[in-house]
Amino acid sequence: MTPKYGTITNWDVMEEQLIFYRTHLDIFVEDAFPPIKLTRDQHIMMREIGNCVDSKDTCSRGFGKTWIAALGGFSLCCLYPGTTVLIVSATAKQATLALGKLKLLAEQNPHIANEISAANSKSLVQVSKDSSSCTLKNGSKLISASIESHRGQRAKIIIIDEALDVDQDELEAVVSPIRNTTREVCFNYGFKDFPSKTITITSACEKSNQYYSSFIKDVARMAKGDRTVFACALDYRAAAANGITDMNFFLKEKERMPELTFQMEYGSKFVGSSANSALPYTLTS
């Protein structure tokens, strides 16, 4: 949001509205960027991206999780001037997908395009195979590349795309220093910054993957009432019920794929070893 000086006569009302939008990110998306309409589950995911410091969205392929992460990161940039969002993955190509989604959104939605600065390029969102970027008029920016290339940088928000492919030890070594930052505007005007955020999007995995342990810990924290974390596992039936992807697509995928692979990638179920069983794996919802 980049109001021009002199265009707002009641800053108290503007402040109240801004505070409301920051805690109701889903409503901001629909109000600021029509005709975008979120589904029921997307409302929940977007709301938690705005309120939590750590969001883990484990979703079926075909759910549109990269779209949610890109739009969520962009919306936070709009509401918090001077915010830097780093989008990381095991490869630069994977990390670039989120900004590819944002580029398409900017081309289709003039309200999104209006928030972006295009001073140095004809394209509002610069996308390449090695790195991508988008700079907003309020000084915020989104940058994507492989996780290793972000070492030594600083950002307020980290989006981790396809976390299963990222080495968790390397991730912790890189992400912890990156998040240790405060926006320049907070230094300049002496007010408290919002807590740094990590947004993780992925499909399910084997229980031996480090992501599973982290996911389960956050679920346990949620069960104890911790409102700073959010973890969900939404399967292909949720994607179909929300009208995101047609059920026929999933049924065709189920026919051609091994059952365990389908349950991980589309069923959002974590697969783990099972001792003394006829089959080497069990499924955990």
Side-chain angles (χ1 to χ4, degrees), residues 148-167:
E148 179 59 34
S149 65
H150 284 314
R151 191 179 294 273
Q153 295 191 43
R154 292 291 180 267
K156 199 64 186 171
I157 300 170
I158 310 294
I159 297 176
I160 306 166
D161 195 359
E162 292 300 340
L164 309 183
D165 299 326
V166 179
D167 182 270

Side-chain angles (χ1 to χ4, degrees), residues 44-58:
I44 296 171
M45 294 166 68
M46 194 69 75
R47 180 78 60 94
E48 297 306 327
I49 285 174
N51 290 328
C52 296
V53 299
D54 190 352
S55 302
K56 288 184 173 63
D57 298 320
T58 306

Side-chain angles (χ1 to χ4, degrees), residues 52-173:
C52 296
V53 299
D54 190 352
S55 302
K56 288 184 173 63
D57 298 320
T58 306
C59 302
S60 162
R61 298 195 184 281
F63 195 91
K65 52 186 178 290
T66 300
W67 183 87
I68 282 286
L71 187 55
F74 181 79
S75 299
L76 289 170
C77 282
C78 293
L79 293 170
Y80 294 95
T83 291
T84 297
V85 175
L86 292 184
I87 305 170
V88 303
S89 192
T91 65
K93 181 179 179 181
Q94 180 64 44
T96 294
L97 291 179
L99 281 181
K101 301 287 186 183
L102 183 59
K103 184 177 187 295
L104 184 59
L105 282 169
E107 292 170 351
Q108 297 174 340
N109 191 307
H111 305 288
I112 290 177
N114 187 55
E115 298 290 337
I116 303 173
S117 173
N120 300 318
S121 174
K122 293 181 180 180
S123 177
L124 294 176
V125 182
Q126 290 78 55
V127 177
S128 72
K129 64 178 182 178
D130 296 320
S131 64
S132 300
S133 64
C134 174
T135 301
L136 280 67
K137 294 175 181 177
N138 67 1
S140 294
K141 57 185 177 181
L142 299 94
I143 305 168
S144 71
S146 65
I147 187 168
E148 179 59 34
S149 65
H150 284 314
R151 191 179 294 273
Q153 295 191 43
R154 292 291 180 267
K156 199 64 186 171
I157 300 170
I158 310 294
I159 297 176
I160 306 166
D161 195 359
E162 292 300 340
L164 309 183
D165 299 326
V166 179
D167 182 270
Q168 295 298 306
D169 292 332
E170 179 184 19
L171 179 64
E172 185 63 26

